[in-house]
Every structure is written in structure tokens, then in C-alpha cells.
Amino acid sequence: MKKIITKIEGEATLQIKGNKIIEWVDIEFWQFRGIESYLKGKHYMDSLVINPRICGICGHSHLIATAEAIENAFNAEITDKAKQIRNLTLNFEIIENHIKWFYITLFPTQIKDKKYLFKALKVSQKISQAIALIAGQYPHNSYAVAGGITTDITYVDLAKVKNIINEILEFENEMWKDFDEFFKLVPKEIGKSNNRFLTKNLDISKVKEINQNPYQNVTYDGIYYETGPLARMKKFVDFVYEEYQDSIYTRIYARVYEIFYLLNQNLKIISQINLSEKSYIKPNIISNKGYSIIEAPRGILIHEIEILNEKIENYNIIVPTQFNLSNGTFENPSPAQKALQGEKKEYLDTIFKCFDICAVCVGH
């Protein structure tokens, strides 16, 4: 049976074996844009404008990853202020993504009520405003560059951002109520996967891309790992994990938990920023290779760059969905494939979307 999955970032095709119970699923992404090839021969600064446009949801993550890869190639230093402000906006993007995913992508798999869509829009508008106060615009800003940031925000700007955070924190109880409402319709134990997790603290030499035209599977040390909110938040939600393991319930719980965890982290960051520090330190431009590993909304994002005489000689991007939704084998399934095995077809859409797929990023 063939099923096209829509209402995600892009589209995916599932080739499903089994009648009422899913025996196996092949996952296919067919979109391809070739941005890595497009970057070759361009000035390295062009990547800071092009890469944020890979995705309309996590474009800011691509910007930060690009800037850090260039900095790694140049052995560049940046101030604590620049790091903190980058972390502030990156956290906001993760928060906005999770809220939109929860109400716009996940909820409609079980609850068809437009009021939940409007909840997402109401809150996400505030987050976009907060990012714009710092980065000038959102989405597709280019305020992070090799050496720091291009904006000089004020304490008034930070006070406005702090007020926005406090407004969103008031939404926490309501969102947890909606979480409980969703799980009145979905069994908590379904969607268990490989129980293997990966965060950005990894050995990049063990990351391997396997050609799966037109996109590539990604393994770590030869097997598939889950990346994203559950991997990042597992130590904070262990009391849930102990009971439900890496089920759909734990996976979604971790994502909702991360929203309010990061909002509080952003309040801490704001209290620590010293605006008297420089925003930018000019790097020494050299021909070299560099890479970055960051935590994007859906998980680990890797950018690799090779610069020769200020031009891009080679560029490579590995996105979170390549980790979570690779098309593995029966003996070595990806996290999403394993989560679907043995489950009822009626829950296919919900289990698949609990991984927050971005086919647009896969098709970079």
C-alpha cells in the first residue's frame, strides 16, 4: 500500500506492508533542490543569505550552523554576547517550531478543530516578534555572520523580549491541558522505537551518509539513532521515560516540556548578556575546511564547508530528518520505521508525524 503524507514540511511517501497491522514501511522523500551544488564557486558570505532559505520553519538554525561552520574554518573567535544572543534567537525558533508542530501538524491527526490552529498562530506571532526585535526580521534573517552578529540591541529591546517570554509562559497550563486532551484519543504506549538517542555532543567521524537517491540516509557508528527533543530532554523527563520508554507519549511530552524549559533558559540568558561587549570580531580569512554541529528544532544539524580563496569549494548539509526518518532495513531500521512496526494502521499518521518531519530540509 502506498500513502502520501501531507501537512508536514513538504511531502513524503510511505510504502506500507501489512493489512491492519503495519509490518514494515519504506520511507521516501522525492524533493531535491541541490543547494549544496548551487553554493559551489560562490563567495563564502553568500551561504549566509542562501542557507536560511532552505526552510521556512528552521531557516534560522541553518543560518547559525552556517556562521559557525565558517568560524570553525577561520578559527574565528566571537564574544560571549554574540554567543548568548545567537542562543536566544535559536531557542526561540525551537519554541515556535514546537508550538506550530503540536497544534498544526500533530493535533489534526486526531482532533479536527480549527480553534487549535489559531492557538498556534497567536503564540507564534509573539515569538516571531521577539526574534525580529533581536535579528531585524523573521524568518530568513542574516544577522549572524562569521565573527559574531550584525545587530546592536539595547536593554530596552531585551526588556521587550523578556515581557514577551512572560506572556508566553502564561500559556503553559493551557498547553498541558491540550496535551492531556490529545492523549484521551491515542494510546500512550504506541510508537516505541530503538531506544537510542543522539545529541550534538558526538564524534563527527562516526556520522555517515548512505546514498538513497535523491536523498541520503544517515547512520552513527553504523546504526540509526533518534535525535531531537526526546534526546535533548530525556534527563529532564526520565520519570515519563521510565514508564513509557521512547513511545509516542514520551516523545511528545519531551517536545512540549522543551518549550517551557527553553523559555526559562532564555530569561536566564537575558539576565547574563553584557551589551557593552563587542557584537563582532573580524576574523582572519584563510583557505580551510570547517564544520558545525548545532541543535535545531528537530534535532542535530550539521554543516560542513571547504573554503578556497574566499570561494566555496565544497558544502555539505545533514539535517535532523535524515537521522530520524532514514529508509533503513528490517534488521537496522531508522527510528520512525521501528516506531511504526507492529502498530495499527489507524495510528500511522500520528506516529509518523510525532517525529516532526521536514521533507523540505531533506530535499536541500
Side-chain angles (χ1 to χ4, degrees), residues 116-127:
Y116 294 104
L117 304 180
F118 292 114
K119 283 187 182 184
L121 294 174
K122 183 179 179 182
V123 179
S124 67
Q125 284 174 353
K126 292 180 180 180
I127 300 168

Side-chain angles (χ1 to χ4, degrees), residues 34 59 73 77 88 112 127 133 135 150 172 179 194 216 219 246 257 310 316 323 330 337 351:
E77 294 183 1
L88 195 65
K112 314 292 184 184
I127 300 168
L133 277 167
T150 61
E172 183 173 7
F179 173 88
N194 294 317
Q216 295 182 318
T219 61
D246 58 343
Y257 180 92
E310 300 190 21
N316 188 53
F323 284 96
F330 194 85
Q337 288 175 309
I351 294 171

